[in-house]
Amino acid sequence: MKELVYICSPLRGDVLENQQRARGFCKLALQAGYIPIAPHIYFTQFLDDDSPEERAQGIEAGLELLKLCRKMWVFLPPGGKPSQ
């Protein structure tokens, strides 16, 4: 079985651009032989990141997925400051 890698990259700010960048990171991971896990791409399809309750649900679910991964790739935004 291929190894899972958790893709960690910004979402807030320019959400559409950040989702596009995250999709690119996932493609890189797949091309490198990993199975990318990027909850911030798919959870935001049905959860509202501007709702504190739904954001907390998404974070909690993402942390559960992280437990399945042995690796995490962290991509900082242009300028290098992580989002919160």
Side-chain angles (χ1 to χ4, degrees):
M1 176 181 220
K2 290 186 177 187
E3 192 171 14
L4 303 175
V5 61
Y6 192 95
I7 304 297
C8 184
S9 66
L11 178 66
R12 289 193 167 186
D14 187 342
V15 173
L16 295 177
E17 174 65 23
N18 288 336
Q19 287 176 328
Q20 179 66 31
R21 291 181 74 232
R23 285 191 290 272
F25 301 144
C26 288
K27 186 173 182 177
L28 286 173
L30 195 63
Q31 291 172 338
Y34 296 96
I35 298 173
I37 303 297
H40 61 305
I41 293 176
Y42 43 87
F43 287 163
T44 54
Q45 299 302 301
F46 55 88
L47 293 175
D48 181 358
D49 197 52
D50 292 324
S51 162
E53 296 82 16
E54 290 190 15
R55 180 174 169 78
Q57 285 178 319
I59 290 171
E60 183 179 342
L63 290 173
E64 288 300 315
L65 286 172
L66 178 58
K67 293 176 185 178
L68 303 174
C69 301
R70 294 188 59 172
K71 293 186 180 211
M72 176 191 290
W73 290 3
V74 178
F75 296 91
L76 296 177
K81 184 178 180 190
S83 63
Q84 297 194 10

